[in-house]
Amino acid sequence: MSSSALPVVIIGAGPVGLAAAAHVLSRNLTPLVFEAGASAGAGIRRWDHVRMFSPWKFNVDTAAVAVLERNGWVMPQGDAYPTGRELVDHYLEPLAGTRELAPFITFNARVRAVARQDHDLMKDAGRETAPFLVRVAGPDGEQDVLAQAVIDASGTIETPAAIGASGLLAIGERAAAESIFYGIPDVLGIHRARYEGRRVLVVGSGHSALNALLDLAALAAEDAHTHIVWAIRRPIIGHLLGGARDDQLEERGKLGSRVRALLDAGRLELVTGFHVDRVTQTADGLVVSAGMRRLQAVDEIIAATGFRPDWSILSEVRLDLDPAVQSPRALAPLIDPNLHSCGTVRPHGAEELKQPDGNLFVIGMKSYGRAPTFLMLSGYEQARSVVAAITGDREAARRVELVLPETGVCTLDAGTQTAGSCCGPAEPVAALATIGVGPSRTGSSCCG
């Protein structure tokens, strides 16, 4: 079979993966979407209680909307702000259920590895014309699927960052795992009993942390025994909390303003310049340390420290990644959080995302590596561009069809050179037209 007759495999049925599938269909190619979860948007379901800080009009893809509208779908009010649950229920699941896409999506199917057929990582001869071999594990076992192109939109939600400031798990962190929640817990919902009347430490300075703090404060207003401590690595707050006036995404700006009000009212305890290196289980609770500094014992820890990309499924194909950002090398200078905010990252596409193995692209949250500046709109533009490149439409692949909103909260702190982030340290998040919203790299997001 000619390689051009093979399908385009897409890993992940989140917002960006399904957008890619819609664009593949619009180009008269066949998508095959493999989703490890049981339904579309399975990753978002982990933070589906969080309200996104971008309205509906920033959370949908044009090709996906075209598919939905052919099936009678009507977009919710464009200026309304959906929760993660609403995004899945009213957009992603209807999209995955359309007659156009449903036949090409397989759930509970985890991609284990990607390679070139009959070519290991070292072999050059005939590599460019060899189809991709995608190994998929599902309920019926493993199978190999051949593809003309592979688009990895699997995200980063399954690989949270440690609370250890050195990038490693803090000593004792693994042992204390039952008392640590990575991401944004549903404090006012299903996780209420876990935090009500408890001493809770929130670690992290992104929008995921802000969302968690606001929910905990609401809980503490009902139960005075709930005590909140917020630990950040920054020596000072600086511009971290931003403000609605400086952010074109007004709801995102309000997060910082509301947390600042909590600090001013003394409703939460802030610890700055705290670089976690140890978690000790004591009779009084968990004691978190940074060198010689020790916090008072707590019952629970919320780790809003971001997420990391897992490149292991692509270990047998040829990648060119930036060693620090862990994103495609050409993209890294455009998204490095030491230099850019969510609003200063210019739109980009196939040219910045291409890899040494042609027709292999990573898009969405995972493409940003460790950078927390991802916006869902950026992921949709990536999907449009890489699909155009796969079909050989270079003009469309190079064309920019996106204008991003400016932000006043994702900027460098004057005097500290510490970058803020749309979503927190690369986490899942909190929703902005990113998959973002609330979790920093999952739910939004700053995120996708």
Side-chain angles (χ1 to χ4, degrees), residues 184-355:
I184 307 177
D186 189 0
V187 171
L188 301 175
I190 61 174
H191 299 125
R192 185 185 188 98
R194 179 170 178 173
Y195 299 103
E196 189 169 22
R198 311 278 278 175
R199 301 164 298 174
V200 185
L201 170 65
V202 178
V203 181
S205 59
H207 290 90
S208 292
L210 302 188
N211 273 281
L213 290 167
L214 290 169
D215 285 349
L216 286 168
L219 188 62
E222 301 176 16
D223 187 329
H225 293 97
T226 303
H227 181 69
I228 312 164
V229 181
W230 180 25
I232 64 175
R233 297 170 188 167
R234 301 162 182 256
I236 59 174
I237 283 288
H239 298 298
L240 171 63
L241 298 180
R245 291 180 302 174
D246 301 317
D247 198 329
Q248 287 188 17
L249 291 169
E250 182 180 0
E251 294 304 309
R252 182 174 60 190
K254 288 180 179 178
L255 287 177
S257 299
R258 292 170 62 196
V259 171
R260 186 178 295 279
L262 294 176
L263 288 170
D264 292 343
R267 296 179 58 191
L268 59 88
E269 176 185 347
L270 173 65
V271 181
T272 60
F274 198 82
H275 294 76
V276 176
D277 59 17
R278 183 180 295 269
V279 180
T280 305
Q281 300 183 68
T282 73
D284 190 37
L286 300 176
V287 175
V288 178
S289 307
M292 298 300 293
R293 299 173 67 190
R294 291 160 57 95
L295 300 180
Q296 292 184 346
V298 297
D299 303 301
E300 293 284 345
I301 298 172
I302 296 175
T305 45
F307 290 75
R308 299 289 183 258
D310 179 2
W311 294 101
S312 61
I313 64 171
L314 302 180
S315 61
E316 206 58 39
V317 289
R318 296 178 180 180
L319 302 175
D320 185 20
L321 304 176
D322 181 85
V325 181
Q326 292 188 314
S327 71
R329 190 181 300 273
L331 178 60
L334 306 181
I335 63 174
D336 187 337
N338 293 296
L339 304 172
H340 297 283
S341 75
C342 298
T344 63
V345 175
R346 69 176 177 82
H348 52 272
E351 186 61 28
E352 292 82 8
L353 297 167
K354 66 183 181 183
Q355 294 296 325

Side-chain angles (χ1 to χ4, degrees), residues 67-136:
V67 171
L68 283 163
E69 289 181 340
R70 288 198 296 270
N71 287 269
W73 181 80
V74 177
M75 188 172 79
Q77 182 180 347
D79 294 331
Y81 293 82
T83 62
R85 183 176 300 113
E86 290 167 342
L87 184 70
V88 175
D89 290 347
H90 302 306
Y91 174 59
L92 296 180
E93 288 196 340
L95 178 61
T98 59
R99 61 180 180 275
E100 291 90 340
L101 285 182
F104 305 111
I105 303 174
T106 303
F107 297 110
N108 298 309
R110 183 176 293 276
V111 171
R112 296 294 188 188
V114 179
R116 288 281 197 178
Q117 187 183 35
D118 297 331
H119 289 70
D120 64 19
L121 190 64
M122 290 285 293
K123 188 173 181 180
D124 288 334
R127 187 176 192 87
E128 292 184 0
T129 58
F132 288 97
L133 183 150
V134 181
R135 180 153 297 166
V136 184

Side-chain angles (χ1 to χ4, degrees), residues 29 39 95 249 333 360:
L29 297 177
S39 62
L95 178 61
L249 291 169
L360 169 67

